[in-house]
Amino acid sequence: MPLPFRDETPSLPNNRVLAEKRLNHLKKKFERDPTYREQYTKQMNTLFSSKYAEVVSERGKEGKVWYIPHHGMKQPNKLRVLFDCSSQLRGISPNALLLIGPDLTNTLTGVLCRFRKEVIAFMCDVKGMFHQFHVNKEHRDYLRFLWWLNGDVSRRLSDCQMNVHLCGAASSPGCSNFGLKQIAKDYADEFGRDASEFIQNYFYVDDGLKSVSTEEEAIDLIVRTRRMCGRGRLHLHKIVSKSRKVMQAVPIDDRGKNVKELNLLHDKLPVEKALGVQWCLESDSFQFRISFQDKPPTRRGILSTVMSVYDP
């Protein structure tokens, strides 16, 4: 899919110097924190090995090139590299020029309520959803970035570009949602209307939550939905269910992280996160688990603590 610009051929100023300055800040952080550097380099290497990004040698046409600054965001178990498409030069940024498109995301409350309708519930996730949808070649120069290959800061900076829609672009949620729903429409006749409806109405961005009346129906729906996604080169994984029989029908590598190592005959089922709330698989109920962080006693600190109870 192309990048949906407001104008057909936007002209952007040369922001390479600004991107270099942002990268120098990152370099100083690498020097202070070797672990951060190692995690960051690993994430960047994955982008290149997966062909989501590549090194470019051509300079690109004047006004048709933009360098996106990037930074890392630490999460509980990993570090995620984010691209700052809101970074401005002379009041111009890619996000200001991109159309967001219609809101194709199902409502959070609606997905959660439908999730509780039937007896056998299960949950799944589309692997790297934004990165599965490629950007038209003529628009990839707008998604350039600077990087030291293999994270070696002693090397010369390389010009690189993203080949896929990326997390941070205002248009990415709309584009990826459109792509996912289009796959469901295209293969509805081949894999069943119920599988198509599951993808179109029971997904919140890349998370699918569904409940059906029997275990056999759940297994059949999961198999057909995975095949449907496979036809669109999407991979459905992180599958969890309150039913042990359903979990046994899912390949171990595609089960949720917390259930991969479980003995499904004897071990107690864990608590999983379902769109921001705790879903206890064993009792099939929603719960709240509060872990207080060491926040300062300021207005911002108090609000952060309160909102952490339910933060999708």
Side-chain angles (χ1 to χ4, degrees):
M1 286 178 280
L3 292 172
F5 287 113
R6 296 177 187 275
D7 298 320
E8 200 166 308
T9 53
S11 181
L12 300 173
N14 188 336
N15 74 325
R16 196 179 197 281
V17 174
L18 177 66
E20 284 184 19
K21 286 182 179 178
R22 291 279 296 268
L23 206 60
N24 282 331
H25 293 307
L26 185 64
K27 182 179 179 180
K28 291 177 182 177
K29 192 164 186 177
F30 281 178
E31 292 168 351
R32 294 194 306 267
D33 191 344
T35 303
Y36 180 87
R37 173 182 173 177
E38 182 182 342
Q39 292 175 331
Y40 203 106
T41 301
K42 183 179 179 181
Q43 290 294 315
M44 294 300 282
N45 286 343
T46 300
L47 291 180
F48 289 102
S49 63
S50 303
K51 304 293 177 66
Y52 298 151
E54 64 182 1
V55 178
V56 290
S57 54
E58 298 178 1
R59 291 184 60 183
K61 295 180 181 179
E62 187 177 348
K64 308 302 178 187
V65 175
W66 183 267
Y67 291 90
I68 307 175
H70 49 90
H71 62 279
M73 182 180 73
K74 282 190 174 182
Q75 295 180 322
N77 301 317
K78 62 179 179 180
L79 180 136
R80 176 173 290 184
V81 175
L82 299 178
F83 288 86
D84 186 4
C85 295
S86 296
S87 175
Q88 295 186 0
L89 179 65
R90 302 175 201 163
I92 297 175
S93 72
N95 274 351
L97 301 174
L98 286 168
L99 291 166
I100 298 174
D103 185 6
L104 301 175
T105 306
N106 296 311
T107 62
L108 189 72
T109 309
V111 173
L112 283 171
C113 287
R114 289 190 290 274
F115 180 55
R116 307 313 298 154
K117 283 177 67 177
E118 302 291 346
V119 181
I120 307 300
F122 64 89
M123 185 169 63
C124 56
D125 173 90
V126 177
K127 185 177 181 179
M129 181 163 157
F130 288 2
H131 289 168
Q132 306 314 306
F133 298 99
H134 288 68
V135 174
N136 287 16
K137 288 185 178 180
E138 65 270 19
H139 283 171
R140 293 178 186 178
D141 280 339
Y142 292 107
L143 302 179
R144 289 201 177 192
F145 63 96
L146 300 173
W147 179 243
W148 310 276
L149 293 183
N150 295 318
D152 185 356
V153 295
S154 64
R155 298 177 67 169
R156 186 178 177 181
L157 282 173
S158 296
D159 278 35
C160 311
Q161 72 180 17
M162 292 295 291
N163 298 325
V164 294
H165 290 267
L166 65 159
C167 187
S171 59
S172 291
C175 288
S176 58
N177 264 309
F178 171 80
L180 180 64
K181 291 178 187 294
Q182 189 63 42
I183 289 169
K185 292 175 184 176
D186 289 346
Y187 299 108
D189 291 337
E190 184 176 350
F191 296 101
R193 294 287 170 183
D194 55 342
S196 177
E197 184 189 355
F198 170 36
I199 290 177
Q200 293 189 67
N201 299 325
Y202 291 80
F203 269 74
Y204 184 78
V205 190
D206 57 348
D207 292 306
L209 292 83
K210 175 75 173 171
S211 60
V212 293
S213 55
T214 67
E215 293 173 322
E216 290 73 20
E217 186 181 350
I219 293 169
D220 178 56
L221 182 60
I222 290 171
V223 169
R224 286 186 288 111
T225 305
R226 294 188 72 208
R227 288 177 180 170
M228 177 182 280
C229 288
R231 288 296 297 272
R233 297 188 181 182
L234 301 182
H235 182 61
L236 214 59
H237 71 151
K238 293 184 180 178
I239 301 169
V240 296
S241 174
K242 61 156 281 185
S243 164
R244 296 171 188 268
K245 183 177 179 180
V246 172
M247 287 304 309
Q248 285 174 331
V250 176
I252 293 177
D253 289 343
D254 292 325
R255 296 176 189 172
K257 181 180 177 181
N258 295 331
V259 297
K260 282 183 179 180
E261 305 299 327
L262 285 184
N263 183 327
L264 294 174
L265 295 176
H266 306 291
D267 293 344
K268 185 177 179 181
L269 295 177
V271 175
E272 291 283 339
K273 245 190 173 181
L275 300 183
V277 294
Q278 303 289 334
W279 176 33
C280 177
L281 299 180
E282 193 69 39
S283 63
D284 190 21
S285 60
F286 282 159
Q287 302 176 349
F288 292 97
R289 179 187 293 172
I290 304 171
S291 56
F292 289 109
Q293 305 285 333
D294 186 17
K295 299 285 186 179
T298 60
R299 181 173 62 178
R300 177 176 290 184
I302 292 168
L303 282 172
S304 175
T305 301
V306 171
M307 292 306 294
S308 70
V309 177
Y310 176 69
D311 182 12

